[in-house]
Amino acid sequence: MKSGETGQLAGKNVLLGVTGGIGAYKAAYLVRELQRQGAVVSVVMTESATRFIAPLTMETLSGHPVGLDMFSLTEERTIGHIDRAGWADVFLVAPATANYIGKAACGIADDLLTTITLAVTCPVVLAPAMNSRMWAHPAVRKNLETLVQRGVYVVWPGEGELACREEGPGRLAETGDIVKTVAGCFEAGDLSDIRVLITAGPTREPLDPVRFISNRSSGRMGFALAKAAVRRGARVQIISGPVEVAAPAEASVRRVNTAREMLSQIEQVLPDSDWLVMAAAVADFAPSSVHKDKVKKGDMLELTLTLARNPDILETLKPFKGGRLFVGFAAETRDMLENARKKAKEKGLDLIVANDVSGQETGFETDENSGVILDQGDLAEEVPRMTKLQMADRILDAALKVWKEKGN
Ligand code: PMT
């Protein structure tokens, strides 16, 4: 047995889609590395990919017929597109061009690869590669966001000199990182005995039947945590404010509006939970009184709103924490670490994720996030900018470490 064949990829069927970018030549190295880890690799190429690397190269390396044409009678007779999709234990597209990402996000199936994309039911991993201005384009970002929300794993491209001689992000991720993400799809659930309660999204504090006070939380961070926890085998309960993000099918979801409703739902579920992860952006204040009817502007030139403090959910639950693990977030615009440490102490948290929400690229309503994970001691793990799903895994890793240190 070759070294590495006992790993997560041993005997796994990897269907590798190659699309037409300069990084396509690196797909050859990917085939070799996946095989070195014990995987069986079969390749499907788009027509443009064949301009960058010959199908014969991929066929010789993989040892399997390369899928090229939807309408080839011989190909469809020996192994059709549905058979290929069913064969795969994991579907990897590397490099994934902006064009492919756009089609995958919209569900367009106009060649063999995009048709397979709609037919696979296994985990999907994409490794995008393109010019840095294309990578930054809002259309590409939106399409990727759609795919990430559907549970697709994205291996973020690297930065550096690109084939077009420009500098910036967009270079196909390193082969080792792509293979690691593919192998990660088969990791045994390290959270399988753990019941995780995750809060997500904003709360809405009504002023009258049509108006409310709220914040910009989209729920993406909380739902990413739920997706990652489900994938790692945890039993997940989500309590969410009003958001549009889709929840993983395996998690139960309770929907709330106000901070008080969120507290009341958490109180019901907490006895059956091991971890509480408070990613929700809970409103600290609510209108002191809620008008029964819509407030009319009439002759009013000004309206003074009186707000009352909402209960602090974590502080309220602190006396009932028992042996549970509490993880909080600190959304900060300045003095991030200092404020986060203070909050962790006041709220009795085992871990706090300090989140800089002053920029446009991370924090609220974005697909990416960054921050620092702090424990009660001196640990400070810096999490650089990455997808919220990737960051969720980092947070769960840190939480699991503390959980084990507590003797669980
Ligand atoms: O939803 P997204 O668009 O993906 O954005 C993600 C996020 C920025 C909302 C998320 O990553 C985040 O930082 N969530 C916490 C936001 C927040 O409310 O931070 P805070 O510093 O105000 O509160 C500190 C902690 O106390 C939080 O865990 C919060 O859930 C909790 N809290 C806050 C107020 C309150 N009344 N009760 C609480 O328990």
Side-chain angles (χ1 to χ4, degrees):
M1 189 179 288
K2 286 179 230 154
S3 69
E5 280 199 6
T6 51
Q8 285 115 348
L9 284 175
K12 297 290 185 225
N13 293 337
V14 180
L15 183 58
L16 170 62
V18 185
T19 66
I22 184 65
Y25 80 92
K26 294 187 186 163
Y29 296 98
L30 259 174
V31 173
R32 296 313 294 257
E33 187 51 30
L34 288 163
Q35 287 173 330
R36 211 180 63 76
Q37 306 262 338
V40 182
V41 186
S42 175
V43 180
V44 174
M45 300 173 77
T46 61
E47 212 255 303
S48 358
T50 64
R51 312 273 181 110
F52 290 93
I53 184 162
L56 183 60
T57 309
M58 303 308 281
E59 191 150 318
T60 309
L61 290 175
S62 68
H64 289 272
V66 171
L68 296 166
D69 184 3
M70 246 326 260
F71 301 104
S72 154
L73 286 179
T74 45
E75 266 183 42
E76 275 294 299
R77 200 176 312 124
T78 47
I79 175 162
H81 61 282
I82 297 296
D83 300 328
R84 280 186 196 274
W87 172 87
D89 293 317
V90 58
F91 179 44
L92 164 67
V93 182
T97 57
N99 182 48
Y100 169 78
I101 290 166
K103 287 198 224 170
C106 297
I108 293 170
D110 63 353
D111 63 10
L112 181 60
L113 186 66
T114 47
T115 306
I116 288 173
T117 305
L118 293 190
V120 287
T121 50
C122 60
V124 179
V125 179
L126 300 188
M130 64 197 74
N131 164 273
S132 44
R133 275 171 290 133
M134 291 170 75
W135 173 245
H137 195 284
V140 174
R141 286 319 178 93
K142 187 77 208 154
N143 290 332
L144 266 176
E145 190 184 308
T146 303
L147 293 168
V148 169
Q149 296 300 341
R150 279 185 209 147
V152 168
Y153 302 105
V154 176
V155 195
W156 241 227
E159 284 200 31
E161 193 187 339
L162 305 173
C164 54
R165 307 277 177 266
E166 288 183 21
E167 286 273 340
R171 199 164 65 178
L172 185 66
E174 296 300 323
T175 301
D177 290 336
I178 298 173
V179 173
K180 209 167 136 200
T181 306
V182 173
C185 297
F186 303 105
E187 258 167 29
D190 56 354
L191 305 185
S192 56
D193 294 329
I194 302 171
R195 300 163 299 170
V196 184
L197 167 54
I198 298 170
T199 66
T203 62
R204 278 184 185 174
E205 311 299 333
L207 168 65
D208 68 14
V210 296
R211 303 182 182 94
F212 55 82
I213 294 176
S214 190
N215 60 62
R216 288 172 46 211
S217 173
S218 63
R220 288 179 210 171
M221 189 67 239
F223 279 67
L225 278 156
K227 275 181 195 146
V230 160
R231 181 167 42 80
R232 292 168 67 158
R235 266 175 47 202
V236 177
Q237 169 74 62
I238 304 171
I239 296 178
S240 176
V243 297
E244 287 178 11
V245 193
E250 301 85 343
S252 351
V253 189
R254 293 181 179 210
R255 307 271 176 188
V256 297
N257 276 307
T258 65
R260 284 177 192 281
E261 284 169 18
M262 185 170 275
L263 172 59
S264 149
Q265 289 296 325
I266 297 175
E267 281 171 337
Q268 288 179 33
V269 180
L270 193 67
D272 296 321
S273 308
D274 299 307
W275 296 6
L276 169 63
V277 184
M278 283 287 296
V282 184
D284 288 312
F285 290 90
S288 309
S289 57
V290 182
H291 294 261
K292 195 163 91 27
D293 297 307
K294 184 181 170 192
V295 177
K296 295 283 177 201
K297 64 177 178 292
D299 295 335
M300 270 194 284
L301 291 179
E302 276 185 358
L303 172 67
T304 305
L305 266 184
T306 313
L307 302 177
R309 276 294 287 266
N310 266 335
D312 188 292
I313 296 178
L314 283 167
E315 280 189 42
T316 310
L317 297 171
K318 197 170 150 184
F320 309 101
K321 186 173 175 239
R324 296 181 187 82
L325 181 100
F326 277 13
V327 181
F329 278 72
E332 304 293 341
T333 53
R334 64 188 172 92
D335 304 327
M336 186 171 84
L337 295 186
E338 201 185 314
N339 288 336
R341 282 220 182 276
K342 193 162 167 276
K343 282 182 187 171
K345 201 158 176 222
E346 283 166 4
K347 296 174 189 247
L349 304 177
D350 299 282
L351 283 176
I352 191 155
V353 184
N355 227 193
D356 181 353
V357 291
S358 58
Q360 299 292 319
E361 321 263 285
T362 56
F364 289 106
E365 297 174 296
T366 56
D367 222 29
E368 293 171 38
N369 209 357
S370 63
V372 182
I373 305 173
L374 303 163
D375 75 354
Q376 285 177 332
D378 293 330
L379 176 108
E381 184 196 335
E382 206 151 327
V383 185
R385 191 171 148 188
M386 58 181 65
T387 64
K388 283 184 173 165
L389 198 57
Q390 285 169 324
M391 182 156 169
D393 269 320
R394 295 285 185 97
I395 296 166
L396 295 174
D397 287 345
L400 185 59
K401 187 163 170 277
V402 176
W403 182 241
K404 285 185 177 160
E405 281 165 8
K406 276 169 161 271
N408 293 290

